[in-house]
Amino acid sequence: MTGATEKMTGARAFIECLSKEGVEVIFGYPGGVLLPIYDELYDADVRHILVRHEQAAAHAADGYARATGKTGVCLATSGPGATNLVTGIATAYMDSVPMVAFTGQVPGSMIGNDAFQEADITGITLPITKHNYLVPEAVELPRIIKEAFHIASTGRQGPVLVDMPKDVTTDELDFSYPEKVELRGYKPTFNGNLLQVKKAAQEISRSTCPVIYAGGGVISSDASSELLAFAEKIMAPVTTTLTGIGAFPGNHLLSLGMLGMHGTKYANYAIQESDLLITIGARFDDRVTGKIESFAPNARVMHIDIDPAEISKNVHVDIPIVGDAKEVLASLTKHVMKCKSENWIKKVGEWKVKYPLHYVNSDEFIKPQYIIEQIHEACEDAIIVTDVGQHQMWAAQYFSFKEPRMFITSGGLGTMGYGFPAAIGAKVGRPDKVVFDIAGDGSFQMNSQELATVVENDIPVIVAVFNNGYLGMVRQWQELFYEHRYSHTCISGSVDFVKLAEAYGALGLRAARPPEVRPVIDEAIASGRPTVIDFIVEREENVSPMVPAGAAINEILDLERKS
Amino acid sequence: MKHTLAVLVENKSGVLARVAVLFSRRGYNIDSLAVGVTEDPTISRMTIVVRGDDHVLEQVTKQLNKLIDVIKVTDISSDESVERELALIKVTADANTRSEIIQIVDIFRARIIDVAAKSMTIEVTGDEEKIVGIEQLLSSFGIKEMVRTGKVALTRGIKSV
């Protein structure tokens, strides 16, 4: 504890703690038990962005965190406010995003009495938070907030929830902010074991067909430049997961793009024929591995991860290294020698030429892939946030990302409605960047109320709605596996997105033919205003290639539509 | 395969819920769980008997270690350890059967802790086989009610977890 203390209320202490943690912005929504805190926020220095639904506050905090690397903060009232955060917290948990979610709670004396707007949010969020707290007394608040930020942002990052009963915010305490955290049960392993690193280095030097499989952990640990140095030194091709996109430059000679269900053919083929799989900050998700028994059948598996529980969870690991990706990669690069991979690189290069990602463009209809390419051409250093579905996969496939934290998407939980509020968070965190939300007409409508937030706060996010009148990804599966029975996936009678934008005071644009695509993109960027672009796209375009559920990842099909 | 885990945790409210949620969420089976405070009043010790192969046990151990309130997890089933459970068994007993029950109690080195006109309550401590053994013998008299603790265990010798 620091020496000097000052008497203040819990609500005031809350603001002081945020300031000590360097929090620039909170995404929140007030309510009864939060009145003391909102009264303090009235003239506090910290920026507060009022959303229109608490779920958006959680997603915005998540998008902010992914775009900046800092811990995102959201705030919601007790009961329904808190439960509305749940989807956003679960999203952040699945993708290991550092976030601290604060919730109000009914006064301590009323907890357990089914009081008005009471919900057991610590109980509800037990399995979807890295840790959570119900603050018992005002005097505990500074320590708990210090711990919450520490836990959220270190080790395998993740969301932490702090539930604050109203009396905790009104009671007085002698405020002092602890300088360090003492948690005997929490000591993440940061440095890789040197013996394991040397063993890994030897294993790599023996490999002739190595593949690096990099995930979101590389981005979390800010290890992209280490990954590049490592890959170039050993000369191994690199494939990334959906959340790992940007960890390795997409235009690099050694880049294989994304692997898995909608990954590139050459990435999947390379995995299946590799003799050494060097996994870094990834977790062998089922969308990556396909049929797990057939995944990388000839490969020894190396796994670098900060979370020991990921080692051998889904796939048996031969050479584990527990530690921070940045540190381990730097150490490994020092000890490693080049692989004898010349023939392998040549073979993989041939696959890249023979099996490129491709689609058949059209003069008549707007192909969704074409929009992605046009956005890339118009603004290649934009931050691309996506919702979930076909448009998400097209963005992952056709936008070439050179840097980390430029592609922001809900990978693990696959949360529709994530994109727009997350784009708000990204734009608030990186106001210097053009931020696109690539959305489907289904996903966008899950949080389109946030148009009010972007207009009110002048957050010029561009929402590109890929409007095909379908819940496209489910429709694609119905087409392929349910005999074209499009049960409840046709949503063509939705809304006029241009008028919707205008109703909120945002700019609404539309493109219905290919020649109109580029002009509306340019107009949206030039306007500097919150914008919704309604792209009327080819209705039944499929995401291709595709590994059917339950198949091995080299059993990958072309589904292109020749129209 | 059964494993006995000694789990040192922070002695605060909610920790048991965290452990229970972890087990149910990840589909691990708990055979028994006993918890109590240790020589250090800020630390509680859970003894968890879990069923599963080595892969499951490794996952259970790692997932438990991820909980912030878990300080240490040790598998003490392979070590030389002493293990005990306690059971209280209320059996139907009258003048005709009382002496026979007392004999069984003596053989098992159990204790009679309550006697009434139509019942006796027996306290027995031991490993699982012993408890099952006395339960089977007493069942012929009619067990009215029975309560068992989970297993508690310590490693032998000077070494501690």
Side-chain angles (χ1 to χ4, degrees), chain A residues 280-547:
Chain A
I280 309 163
R283 59 184 176 83
F284 300 91
D285 178 85
D286 54 273
R287 287 297 191 264
V288 159
T289 63
K291 186 180 178 190
I292 201 139
E293 301 79 25
S294 314
F295 181 71
N298 309 315
R300 299 263 291 162
V301 177
M302 187 178 294
H303 193 179
I304 299 165
D305 207 292
I306 197 148
D307 180 359
E310 287 302 336
I311 307 289
S312 292
K313 185 183 76 177
N314 293 343
V315 165
H316 174 76
V317 173
D318 301 292
I319 311 121
I321 306 177
V322 174
D324 178 66
K326 189 181 181 75
E327 198 281 333
V328 173
L329 279 174
S331 164
L332 196 52
T333 307
K334 222 182 293 170
H335 290 94
V336 84
M337 312 233 279
K338 188 179 166 315
C339 300
K340 294 172 194 69
S341 58
E342 292 80 7
N343 292 339
W344 173 241
I345 297 288
K346 198 163 150 254
K347 187 172 183 183
V348 170
E350 285 164 9
W351 284 333
K352 283 176 81 167
V353 174
K354 196 168 171 194
Y355 306 110
L357 282 172
H358 60 105
Y359 69 98
V360 180
N361 210 347
S362 160
D363 293 334
E364 198 181 346
F365 301 108
I366 299 176
K367 291 288 188 154
Q369 302 92 330
Y370 175 71
I371 305 172
I372 303 285
E373 288 176 341
Q374 288 301 304
I375 293 174
H376 184 255
E377 224 179 271
C379 193
E380 63 168 17
D381 61 351
I383 293 180
I384 303 294
V385 186
T386 80
D387 266 290
V388 169
Q390 289 183 311
H391 62 275
Q392 177 189 31
M393 292 299 113
W394 287 316
Q397 292 174 331
Y398 288 92
F399 199 102
S400 177
F401 293 89
K402 291 206 287 282
E403 289 169 47
R405 303 196 181 281
M406 304 299 281
F407 181 63
I408 295 174
T409 196
S410 166
L413 198 67
T415 307
M416 284 176 70
Y418 169 82
F420 184 32
I424 295 172
K427 183 69 186 175
V428 168
R430 297 295 307 272
D432 54 315
K433 291 282 181 186
V434 173
V435 176
F436 274 87
D437 167 33
I438 308 288
D441 44 330
S443 286
F444 180 54
Q445 289 184 79
M446 285 199 178
N447 269 320
S448 60
Q449 78 285 344
E450 298 308 317
L451 281 167
T453 307
V454 291
V455 171
E456 185 179 77
N457 294 282
D458 192 22
I459 304 168
V461 167
I462 303 166
V463 183
V465 180
F466 285 35
N467 186 353
N468 57 10
Y470 281 118
L471 303 175
M473 186 60 97
V474 180
R475 184 211 57 74
Q476 175 170 339
W477 283 53
Q478 288 172 333
E479 176 191 330
L480 297 170
F481 310 115
Y482 291 86
E483 299 160 342
H484 293 77
R485 288 159 55 85
Y486 294 164
S487 179
H488 300 275
T489 44
C490 181
I491 54 166
S492 54
S494 286
V495 67
D496 182 327
F497 289 105
V498 174
K499 283 186 183 160
L500 181 72
E502 288 167 355
Y504 281 103
L507 178 61
L509 301 170
R510 179 171 290 123
R513 294 279 170 255
E516 296 161 16
V517 169
R518 185 56 188 271
V520 291
I521 293 170
D522 291 338
E523 186 181 346
I525 295 171
S527 78
R529 289 175 60 194
T531 304
V532 178
I533 311 174
D534 185 20
F535 287 106
I536 310 298
V537 298
E538 166 87 274
R539 290 203 72 197
E540 299 197 8
E541 184 73 11
N542 283 331
V543 178
S544 175
M546 178 183 187
V547 178

Side-chain angles (χ1 to χ4, degrees), chain A residues 93-128:
Chain A
Y93 183 70
M94 284 290 264
D95 289 345
S96 306
V97 176
M99 179 199 289
V100 178
F102 291 98
T103 49
Q105 181 55 277
V106 301
S109 59
M110 293 168 79
I111 290 178
N113 293 350
D114 304 320
F116 176 67
Q117 293 194 328
E118 181 185 359
D120 173 14
I121 197 63
T122 47
I124 290 168
T125 57
L126 265 189
I128 54 163

Side-chain angles (χ1 to χ4, degrees), chain A residues 1 143 146-147 150 180-187, chain B residues 10:
Chain A
M1 293 279 187
R143 175 187 61 82
K146 176 86 185 173
E147 287 179 6
H150 176 71
K180 42 177 205 203
V181 175
E182 281 165 37
L183 289 163
R184 54 187 164 184
Y186 179 69
K187 294 191 175 62
Chain B
E10 296 288 345

Side-chain angles (χ1 to χ4, degrees), chain A residues 82-232:
Chain A
T83 56
N84 277 344
L85 293 179
V86 166
T87 301
I89 294 171
T91 304
Y93 183 70
M94 284 290 264
D95 289 345
S96 306
V97 176
M99 179 199 289
V100 178
F102 291 98
T103 49
Q105 181 55 277
V106 301
S109 59
M110 293 168 79
I111 290 178
N113 293 350
D114 304 320
F116 176 67
Q117 293 194 328
E118 181 185 359
D120 173 14
I121 197 63
T122 47
I124 290 168
T125 57
L126 265 189
I128 54 163
T129 49
K130 188 171 171 187
H131 194 53
N132 64 23
Y133 295 89
L134 173 59
V135 184
E137 286 182 284
V139 67
E140 304 255 24
L141 195 60
R143 175 187 61 82
I144 286 174
I145 294 179
K146 176 86 185 173
E147 287 179 6
F149 277 89
H150 176 71
I151 292 168
S153 61
T154 55
R156 180 176 182 173
Q157 301 173 331
V160 177
L161 180 134
V162 180
D163 196 23
M164 302 178 291
K166 188 174 184 182
D167 52 325
V168 163
T169 65
T170 51
D171 285 353
E172 289 208 320
L173 68 149
D174 291 320
F175 180 82
S176 74
Y177 202 59
E179 278 172 0
K180 42 177 205 203
V181 175
E182 281 165 37
L183 289 163
R184 54 187 164 184
Y186 179 69
K187 294 191 175 62
T189 307
F190 193 75
N191 296 315
N193 179 303
L194 190 60
L195 283 176
Q196 282 297 95
V197 168
K198 287 181 174 165
K199 199 173 142 195
Q202 279 174 9
E203 193 86 34
I204 290 167
S205 66
R206 280 197 292 271
S207 167
T208 54
C209 310
V211 173
I212 296 170
Y213 150 40
V218 174
I219 296 174
S220 302
S221 87
D222 188 24
S224 298
S225 50
E226 285 76 8
L227 174 62
L228 181 63
F230 172 67
E232 286 182 340

